[in-house]
Amino acid sequence: KKFIKKSFVSKKVLKEKIILMNQEDKEFQEEELEALMSIYEEELFINPGNYHSISIPIVKEEKDFNETIQLNFMYPYNYPSNSPPLFNISTDINGNFNLSNNQLEKLSNELHELFEQGDIVIFNWIEWLRENIIDYLDITEDYLQNRDEEIREKEVNTNTNKETRKEKLLNSMHHSETIIVKKSKFYGHCCKIETVEDTILALDALKNSKKRIFNATHNIVAYRLRDKLTNEIHEFRDDDGESGAGDKMLFLLQQMNEMDIWVCVTREYGGILLGPSRFKYINLSCKNVIELLKS
C-alpha cells in the first residue's frame, strides 16, 4: 500500500512539472515571435494559428536576386525545452532555384544541429539561411548572366526615364524676375507636379541647369500634392538653411489653395543682413512665380 501511494504521488508531481514546462515553453514561444516581429516586420507572416513563415532574400556576393526562399515553421508544445520547431523550406515558384531532396535533407540536418534544448533558435536559423542558402541552390551560369543583363537594362531604363522626366519638368518651369535688396537677390521657380518623385527631380534639374542656382546660398522649397488614388494631400517644405522660410512659403500655398505645385525660391546672399524683412522678399518671389504659372 505504501509503495502504491508513493508511486501515485510521483506521477502527480511529474504531471505538475510537465504542465509548468509547457507554460514556460508557451511564454518562450510568444516572446520569440514578438522579437522576430520587431526584427523582420515586413518579411515575417504570423498565422493566427501555430504555423508561421518568413521570406529570406537570396543574396550572392552582396548581390540581391530579388527572389526569396520561405522558411515555414510550427511550434511543438515542448519547444524549446525539448524539441526543435517543425519546419520546411520552399523555394522560388518560377523554378530558378530548386532544392533536391538530398539538399533539403542536408539543410534540415544543419538547422537541427543549431538547436540546443532550452534555447530559442528561429533567429539563428533565419540568419544561417540568409548567409548559407546560396550554397545549396542550383543556380546556373545562364541564369546569372541573364539576371545581370536584366538588372543593367532596368537601371538604364530607370535612369533614362528620370532624365526624360527632369527635362520635361525643367522645360515646363516658370521663373520670376529677380528682386535685388542690398545686394541680395531673390527669384522664384515653379512647375506643376504629379508625384513626390517629381519634387526631387525638379530641384535636381533646376540646380544643374545654371551654376548660379547650384551655388546659391539658399534654394528654399515648398510643395503641395494630392494623391490621385487616396485623395490624401502631401505637403513639404525645406528651408535649405534659411530658417522658417519654407514654412512661410508652404503657408502661402495653403492660403492660395494651390495644389499639385512645386515652388523654389533662390536667394543669393549679398553680404548684408536683412533681418526679418528677407521673408517678405522670399514670399513675394514665391507669389510672383505662382502667378506666372497661372497666367
Side-chain angles (χ1 to χ4, degrees), residues 21-61:
M21 286 178 67
N22 289 346
Q23 289 174 343
E24 290 178 349
D25 282 332
K26 187 67 176 176
E27 289 174 3
F28 274 121
Q29 292 169 19
E30 290 173 353
E31 289 174 3
E32 182 176 42
L33 280 179
E34 187 176 341
L36 292 172
M37 287 175 65
S38 67
I39 300 170
Y40 309 105
E41 184 177 0
E42 296 182 1
E43 300 96 339
L44 183 66
F45 175 74
I46 301 296
N47 194 297
N50 194 29
Y51 186 81
H52 316 294
S53 61
I54 182 165
S55 295
I56 303 172
I58 296 172
V59 179
K60 182 176 183 180
E61 296 173 356

Side-chain angles (χ1 to χ4, degrees), residues 185-203:
K185 298 177 181 179
F186 302 85
Y187 47 99
H189 328 269
C190 79
C191 63
K192 299 297 280 185
I193 54 173
E194 298 177 3
T195 64
V196 172
E197 186 180 32
D198 277 352
T199 67
I200 300 169
L201 298 177
L203 181 60

